[in-house]
Amino acid sequence: MTTSISQEGIRKLASELSQSSEYIPQITELREELKLQLCNLKNQIKQLELKKQNSRLNNEHLHQQSHVLKQKAICLRNDTWSVENKVKTLFRELEEVTSALDRRGTEVEHLKLEVKHEHEACQAIEELKAKITKELANMKKDRDMYKKKARSDARRVTQIQNRIENIKAANAHLEPSG
């Protein structure tokens, strides 16, 4: 059993006990108990000092961890800003691309209309070409027919001229020379 006794109380008790010899065994016992208490107190002080040192080391470690976490938080904040800026940039680029696609879509629609008109014009040209080809074929037939007729007429004219010449020649024999 340990009791805490003040230093002044110990001195007083020691002086009283030292005066009477009958208390010597009690003094010895009390001295041993005080030594034990002193030893316990020294151990408690060492433990408290170790706890204090451990607490200081823990505080330093926590301070370092706090500093590291603050640095990480700053990095994360900077990364967050960077990501936000990149996202904003990507959204702007997406809007630009969307706008460009819309413009291209409008251009494509105009081109489709132009292609449609050109296709219709090509069809009209093909139809006209077919009509011209047909008309040319008809004209060629007519030309060939007229050529045949002209040759036939030329032969008839030649035959008629030959007859006229023959008649003139025959008439020339019949007419008196004068």
Side-chain angles (χ1 to χ4, degrees):
M1 173 182 196
T2 60
T3 54
S4 56
I5 303 170
S6 68
Q7 287 181 351
E8 189 179 316
I10 293 172
R11 283 185 203 137
K12 190 177 181 184
L13 186 60
S15 109
E16 287 176 6
L17 290 175
S18 63
Q19 292 172 2
S20 88
S21 57
E22 61 189 55
Y23 293 110
I24 291 180
Q26 288 178 349
I27 292 173
T28 307
E29 186 181 318
L30 188 59
R31 184 181 280 165
E32 289 300 318
E33 189 178 326
L34 288 174
K35 281 182 183 178
L36 186 61
Q37 281 184 1
L38 181 63
C39 193
N40 284 339
L41 284 173
K42 285 181 180 177
N43 284 340
Q44 285 178 356
I45 289 171
K46 284 181 183 178
Q47 285 178 352
L48 287 174
E49 284 177 355
L50 286 174
K51 283 184 180 178
K52 181 181 173 184
Q53 187 178 8
N54 192 19
S55 177
R56 185 180 53 78
L57 290 173
N58 282 340
N59 283 343
E60 286 177 10
H61 181 68
L62 287 174
H63 180 72
Q64 288 173 352
Q65 282 183 330
S66 171
H67 181 71
V68 167
L69 288 174
K70 284 178 185 175
Q71 293 298 321
K72 285 183 179 179
I74 290 170
C75 289
L76 283 173
R77 186 183 68 217
N78 290 341
D79 288 348
T80 301
W81 287 342
S82 175
V83 167
E84 285 176 357
N85 288 335
K86 286 179 182 176
V87 166
K88 286 177 185 176
T89 301
L90 287 174
F91 272 116
R92 270 193 305 262
E93 289 175 2
L94 178 63
E95 287 175 5
E96 290 172 6
V97 167
T98 303
S99 177
L101 283 175
D102 289 344
R103 285 192 305 274
R104 283 301 267 177
T106 304
E107 290 175 13
V108 166
E109 289 302 317
H110 287 296
L111 289 174
K112 282 182 181 177
L113 284 174
E114 286 181 27
V115 166
K116 182 181 175 188
H117 291 137
E118 286 181 17
H119 180 70
E120 290 170 355
C122 285
Q123 282 181 332
I125 289 170
E126 288 298 320
E127 290 172 6
L128 187 59
K129 204 165 137 183
K131 284 181 183 178
I132 290 171
T133 304
K134 186 177 179 182
E135 192 63 35
L136 283 173
N138 287 338
M139 289 171 76
K140 186 177 178 187
K141 285 180 189 175
D142 288 347
R143 184 191 68 194
D144 290 344
M145 184 181 72
Y146 289 133
K147 273 185 179 179
K148 284 181 185 176
K149 192 172 183 184
R151 276 190 237 128
S152 173
D153 287 347
R155 276 194 302 262
R156 284 171 101 203
V157 166
T158 305
Q159 287 173 355
I160 291 172
Q161 285 176 346
N162 287 338
R163 280 188 197 158
I164 292 172
E165 289 297 320
N166 288 338
I167 292 172
K168 282 184 184 179
N171 284 337
H173 288 293
L174 296 175
E175 284 188 24
S177 334

